[in-house]
Amino acid sequence: MYGDDSSPYIVHVPHSSTVIPEDVRGELLLGDHALAEELRLMTDARTDELAILAAAQVAPRPWLFVNRLSRLVVDPERLPYGHEEMTEVGMGSVYTRTSGGKALRDLGRHAEKDLLSSFLWPYAEALADLVDERLRATGRVVVVDLHSYPLQTLPYERHQDAKRPQVCVGVDVDHTPPALVERVTAACSIIGQVVVNEPFSGSYVPLRHFGRDIRVTSVMVEFRRDTYLRGDGSLDPEGARRINAALVAILSG
């Protein structure tokens, strides 16, 4: 979604969609009920709505880059071809296992390459192009990598005993300056406890820029879902208001 030309901010929302193309759905081994439950567990529900609402209240308006497909198609934040540590649990760039460890798809090398070429590489290139465009326009980029996570630990998670605060701030050693961490932490303190790199760590930087251009900064902001969602999946007005205020503060810096 277009922002103002003078804004260096890009809000990246990679996991909010539940859309799975029909041909990809045919490759998945889950029945409809099991797939719906997996989507409920793994989708960062309504984070796209939170991003859109906050962006509309910020001047200059930040840019939004929202994944329109489910992470069960491909996960644009995971490295391909075994370079991703989550591949060990079947959740690399193309998932072969569910969050509970059940088989999600039978994946041969050819099928993986087709999925990456159809979905992951075009997505990655488009986001990297937007980063380059913002660099040319403003001389810097701040990627706000927006996620959410459930209150209860899911079986696939590698750190089962990690803290699950109301807000997790993910940082990268090269691309997340301390001042950005401090500002995000302060903004999110109205929501509840804020912990850095726990239960999840790191933040998305396009491979084109990762380790190469320190003008590209990035911070991951993960809201625990019960801070803004009711049990039926609807937005809790007060929780959503606090998150909106935090995001507006982050994007106005």
Side-chain angles (χ1 to χ4, degrees), residues 12-162:
H12 181 217
V13 188
H15 295 156
S16 64
S17 177
T18 61
V19 174
I20 300 175
E22 288 187 13
D23 57 337
V24 178
R25 172 65 184 99
E27 300 170 353
L28 302 182
L29 304 176
L30 302 181
D32 289 345
H33 178 76
L35 179 58
E37 177 62 10
E38 184 66 9
L39 286 169
R40 185 187 71 82
L41 293 171
M42 291 298 293
T43 301
D44 292 355
R46 310 189 79 150
T47 48
D48 54 342
E49 297 175 47
L50 297 173
I52 291 169
L53 179 63
Q57 299 175 52
V58 175
R61 186 186 180 101
W63 295 69
L64 300 183
F65 197 95
V66 180
N67 187 7
R68 300 303 181 187
L69 297 177
S70 168
R71 66 194 298 184
L72 302 188
V73 180
V74 297
D75 190 333
E77 295 214 319
R78 303 276 167 87
L79 296 171
Y81 302 133
H83 298 294
E84 167 67 50
E85 66 174 0
M86 295 303 293
T87 302
E88 296 177 10
V89 293
M91 302 186 98
S93 54
V94 181
Y95 295 176
T96 59
R97 295 281 171 180
T98 68
S99 59
K102 295 182 179 180
L104 178 65
R105 52 159 65 91
D106 292 322
L107 186 65
R109 187 76 168 182
H110 180 70
E112 181 181 13
K113 290 180 69 173
D114 284 348
L115 287 166
L116 295 178
S117 62
S118 296
F119 301 110
L120 187 139
W121 298 127
Y123 183 99
E125 287 298 303
L127 182 47
D129 287 346
L130 177 58
V131 169
D132 280 337
E133 178 187 299
R134 294 294 82 224
L135 285 173
R136 288 191 294 270
T138 70
R140 67 187 182 103
V141 170
V142 184
V143 176
V144 177
D145 193 27
L146 187 60
H147 295 260
S148 70
Y149 64 97
L151 175 61
Q152 301 299 326
T153 306
L154 295 176
Y156 83 93
E157 295 180 31
R158 297 176 62 86
H159 305 291
Q160 292 287 308
D161 297 327

Side-chain angles (χ1 to χ4, degrees), residues 172-186:
D172 177 84
V173 64
D174 295 317
H175 290 274
T176 314
L180 179 58
V181 180
E182 292 173 7
R183 181 156 57 82
V184 171
T185 299

